[in-house]
């Protein structure tokens, strides 16, 4: 089997082919042996794909891989996330930007040494790569240095990273690591929304829906909610469903309400529980 074959096998396992019996249980051993061998031969992609497999549908069925004996952290490798962390670290150690980014993203609940290792691995990429710069800023926050995160978020946002712009909104609105500045927070919220950040789009919709922090404008609120839902914000889709269910600022339309509520549920929003809290019935 080639490396591409092993990557395809990983994708099949992540789709659930192992769970429904389309693949034998031995496929897990085959996958780990094949990708780790390719990784030890110098393929950053192989280590990266193995890490993603550990985080996938049946990642808990995959056996451990022969990672480097000396990694710069000691987080346990007895669960899928710990094994993914090690695989991404191997990829990042080969100079792979995507591996370094995935390793850093996996470090939110990891140990301080792991977060420090992630910061070191991201450092070569952080200045020129906005996604890496944003993640580097998050690592600074997780390591208790929110003030040190500001410059990285500012650079990344200036390079067009929507998540960095939204993070600046959060930091300026809460006064975390920087002096609180509501005007600056509002500027970054609008910038993040213009860049298509889903939470920013939702917050702009809420601001225009309530008149809190922006001009009261139901039509503009509806537009922002729709953009947020299209960008994957489940709460925005649920809100649109309720707006069409109740009527008022938008025409009452049970069919449209049902469509948005179904979409919100597909994205993981607890629709029925939320409607019960509002005293509404699902159309």
């Amino acid at each position: 089997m080639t490396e591409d074959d092993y990557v395809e096998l990983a994708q099949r396992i992540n789709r659930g082919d192992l769970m429904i019996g389309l693949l034998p249980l031995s496929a897990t051993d085959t996958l780990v042996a094949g990708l780790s061998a390719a990784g030890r031969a110098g393929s950053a992609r192989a280590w990266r794909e193995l890490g993603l497999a550990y985080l996938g549908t049946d990642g808990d069925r995959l056996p451990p891989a022969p990672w480097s004996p000396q990694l710069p952290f000691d987080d346990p490798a007895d669960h899928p996330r710990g094994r993914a962390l090690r695989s991404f670290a191997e990829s990042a150690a080969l100079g792979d930007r995507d591996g370094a980014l995935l390793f850093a993203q996996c470090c939110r609940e990891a140990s301080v040494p792991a977060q420090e290792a992630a910061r070191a691995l991201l450092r070569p990429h952080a200045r020129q790569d906005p996604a890496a710069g944003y993640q580097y800023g998050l690592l600074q926050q997780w390591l208790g240095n929110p003030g040190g995160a500001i410059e990285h978020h500012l650079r990344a946002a200036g390079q067009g990273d929507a998540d960095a712009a939204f993070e600046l909104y959060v930091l300026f609105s809460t006064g975390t690591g920087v002096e609180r500045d509501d005007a600056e927070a509002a500027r970054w919220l609008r910038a993040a929304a213009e860049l298509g950040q889903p939470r920013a789009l939702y917050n702009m919709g809420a601001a225009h829906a309530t008149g809190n922090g922006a001009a009261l404008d139901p039509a503009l609120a509806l537009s922002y909610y729709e953009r947020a839902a299209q960008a994957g914000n489940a709460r925005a889709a649920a809100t649109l469903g309720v707006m069409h269910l109740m009527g008022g600022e938008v025409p009452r339309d049970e069919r449209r309400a049902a469509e948005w509520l179904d979409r919100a549920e597909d994205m993981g929003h607890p629709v029925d529980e939320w409607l019960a809290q509002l005293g509404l019935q699902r159309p």
Side-chain angles (χ1 to χ4, degrees):
M1 292 175 68
T2 67
E3 183 177 320
D4 287 343
D5 292 329
Y6 289 116
V7 170
E8 183 180 352
L9 178 60
Q11 292 170 349
R12 289 189 62 190
I13 291 175
N14 285 342
R15 286 199 304 266
D17 285 4
L18 186 70
M19 182 185 301
I20 61 177
L22 294 179
L23 287 171
L25 294 179
S26 60
T28 58
D29 294 322
T30 301
L31 176 68
V32 173
L35 287 180
S36 59
R40 291 197 305 277
S43 172
R45 175 203 184 200
W47 284 122
R48 192 170 67 242
E49 291 293 337
L50 182 56
L52 292 171
Y54 280 121
L55 295 178
T57 303
D58 283 315
D60 57 340
R61 298 192 185 190
L62 302 182
W67 303 286
S68 299
Q70 298 298 325
L71 289 173
F73 57 92
D74 57 3
D75 299 58
D78 57 357
H79 56 82
R81 185 164 295 275
R83 293 175 180 179
L85 202 66
R86 280 165 167 71
S87 301
F88 294 143
E90 296 280 10
S91 177
L94 292 170
D96 182 51
R97 172 265 187 195
D98 291 339
L101 195 56
L102 287 164
F103 176 60
Q105 290 168 347
C106 262
C107 276
R108 175 120 198 197
E109 305 299 330
S111 67
V112 168
Q115 292 174 350
E116 290 174 340
R119 187 170 56 180
L121 290 166
L122 269 186
R123 192 171 291 121
H125 310 283
R127 186 165 292 275
Q128 299 301 323
D129 185 309
Y134 162 66
Q135 192 63 47
Y136 193 96
L138 288 183
L139 284 163
Q140 292 285 73
Q141 292 170 231
W142 300 343
L143 286 166
N145 183 22
I150 297 294
E151 63 173 298
H152 301 285
H153 291 320
L154 285 170
R155 185 186 304 114
Q159 294 169 330
D161 190 274
D163 290 327
F166 186 80
E167 195 66 28
L168 286 167
Y169 153 71
V170 173
L171 296 177
F172 277 106
S173 64
T174 59
T176 303
V178 68
E179 185 176 349
R180 179 171 176 171
D181 188 330
D182 290 340
E184 189 71 358
R187 184 174 79 84
W188 282 114
L189 177 62
R190 191 170 296 277
E194 288 173 358
L195 290 167
Q197 212 282 343
R199 289 183 295 169
L201 289 167
Y202 174 85
N203 284 11
M204 287 298 298
H208 284 294
T210 62
N212 183 14
L216 183 64
D217 189 330
L220 192 53
L222 184 68
S223 174
Y224 273 115
Y225 282 141
E226 288 179 347
R227 289 173 61 193
Q230 296 293 353
N233 188 289
R235 189 173 181 182
T239 299
L240 287 165
V242 169
M243 291 173 71
H244 283 291
L245 184 60
M246 296 182 66
E249 300 295 349
V250 299
R252 176 176 167 79
D253 186 332
E254 290 197 355
R255 182 185 62 80
R256 290 286 290 154
E259 289 173 352
W260 282 117
L261 292 172
D262 287 347
R263 185 179 299 189
E265 188 169 62
D266 289 342
M267 290 190 283
H269 192 82
V271 168
D272 291 327
E273 179 182 331
W274 195 47
L275 290 176
Q277 292 173 354
L278 297 173
L280 298 172
Q281 291 186 341
R282 191 163 182 163

